[in-house]
Amino acid sequence: MIIGIPKEIMHDEARVACTPETVSKFVKDGFTVLVEKAAGNGALYHDEDYVKAGAELIDKVQDVYDRAEVILKVKEPQFNEQLGKHEVDMMHQGQYLITFIHPASPVNHDMVKKLSAKGVIAITLDGIPRISRAQNLDALTSMSTCAGYKGILMAADKLTTFMPQMFTAVGRIEPAKVMVIGVGVAGLQALATAKRLGAVTYAADIRPAAAEQAGSLGAKVIDTTVPAELAIAEGGYANRLPDDVLAKERKALEETIQQMDIVFCSALIPGKVAPIIITEDTVKGMKRGAVIVDISIDQGGNCELTPAGDIINKHGVTLMGVKNIPGLLPTSSTWMFSNNMYNLVKYIVKDGKVNLDRSDEVIAKSLVCIDGQLVHAGAREAMGL
């Protein structure tokens, strides 16, 4: 079986789907691996290392798409400005595509329809369920870990004060206060990173188990006032709250938010727009020089002022809506991502052939299209199908 690794063409995307280490594993397992030249340069994985690992370097990306049976990518198919054609148009019927597709997102609907019409069999990594047996396949969790760590570093860099408590010849400087809203994988990593940097940490999550985990990391847990029976959706994820309950949560958190130096926002509802937890009025009452880093921006953001894909200062507060934060940590995030990809390919390939058991929860929730049909439930719902 032939695996193809094209260079990512999304602006500022430095990651690549496989490292030389995982290429070597694939080759030992009997796969042929095609890697587009310079595909790993941005993550400091270089052509000579891929060759040593047993990959075949390819000059033209179209040749990768023509020859490969399975395409492994980091980001969803994009329009290739250099070639004047969309990556979907480079693919062929019966080809397998594994990447982050986000098929329910409206901006991807046309692309997903094209994949289906083309006869591509697509698996989206954001659909991998967070269950025990799928942990080593779960690239979304891996990338959330990167976002939590890097997001706090980015926020700390914008502060005009120290993060840790400092004892100096002229007196003591108090430590920064950091609050994490939404204590999932990214939020827990953000708390741990802020604590390692010496900050005093606070946390809020509507799910009791998540709040308990935050407390175990030393954070002061702020009561959201949301009843547990309203908070938890299927699979342990956060539930979408009624407007009046969400309004009470905002009010319960407002005073603490306004005392913070950094607020890290990562509260998400799977497949839905992110809840607005920080209003403009709350921002107006925050400390001058405070920073909000809003990693939920891909789903709208938890702060109503967060700029998508940008950094601005409003009401004396720095608002960070940077997208693709894991891509700013490309060497480590690629290493994690590529191991997830290796494990996923091994999971679905049996005796040299891809075997998609659609009764398997992992496949059922991550499969986007097959046999010319769009089958992803979230995408179908979002498109009104």
Side-chain angles (χ1 to χ4, degrees), residues 74-286:
V74 178
K75 300 299 290 184
E76 70 272 16
Q78 315 267 323
F79 185 81
N80 190 317
E81 299 282 355
Q82 188 175 357
L83 297 180
K85 64 166 70 172
H86 201 285
E87 286 180 307
V88 174
D89 294 325
M90 301 185 199
M91 300 179 195
H92 56 261
Q93 183 176 2
Q95 192 167 47
Y96 293 87
L97 170 67
I98 305 176
T99 186
F100 281 113
I101 298 174
H102 304 289
S105 177
V107 297
N108 291 328
H109 287 177
D110 286 343
M111 177 268 294
V112 169
K113 290 175 183 176
K114 285 179 70 173
L115 279 172
S116 301
K118 193 84 174 181
V120 173
I121 303 149
I123 292 173
T124 185
L125 297 170
D126 52 287
I128 301 293
R130 281 180 172 162
I131 56 178
S132 296
R133 63 187 177 86
Q135 283 184 337
N136 69 349
L137 319 174
D138 188 359
L140 188 60
T141 289
S142 294
M143 296 305 98
S144 294
T145 298
C146 297
Y149 167 79
K150 187 68 172 180
I152 288 294
L153 296 186
M154 291 162 58
D157 189 52
K158 291 294 182 182
L159 281 186
T160 59
T161 60
F162 290 112
M163 282 282 276
Q165 182 171 256
M166 300 291 283
F167 293 92
T168 77
V170 291
R172 182 180 68 187
I173 299 174
E174 294 299 325
K177 295 179 178 179
V178 176
M179 182 177 190
V180 172
I181 300 175
V183 194
V185 174
L188 287 170
Q189 185 58 232
L191 281 175
T193 302
K195 191 170 182 64
R196 285 194 291 264
L197 290 173
V200 177
T201 55
Y202 299 73
D205 197 297
I206 62 175
R207 299 164 298 171
E212 184 179 342
Q213 286 181 309
S216 73
L217 288 178
K220 180 179 179 180
V221 177
I222 308 302
D223 184 11
T224 64
T225 73
V226 177
E229 62 269 19
L230 292 178
I232 305 168
E234 181 187 357
Y237 292 103
N239 209 357
R240 185 171 185 171
L241 299 176
D243 290 344
D244 61 326
V245 177
L246 182 57
K248 289 178 182 176
E249 181 189 4
R250 290 190 194 111
K251 191 66 179 173
L253 300 182
E254 182 178 42
E255 182 180 352
T256 304
I257 289 169
Q258 291 179 337
Q259 296 171 3
M260 294 298 110
D261 297 289
I262 293 173
V263 181
F264 181 94
C265 299
S266 58
L268 291 171
I269 302 164
K272 308 289 183 183
V273 174
I276 295 295
I277 296 170
I278 304 176
T279 64
E280 183 168 6
D281 283 342
T282 300
V283 173
K284 286 178 180 178
M286 291 179 71

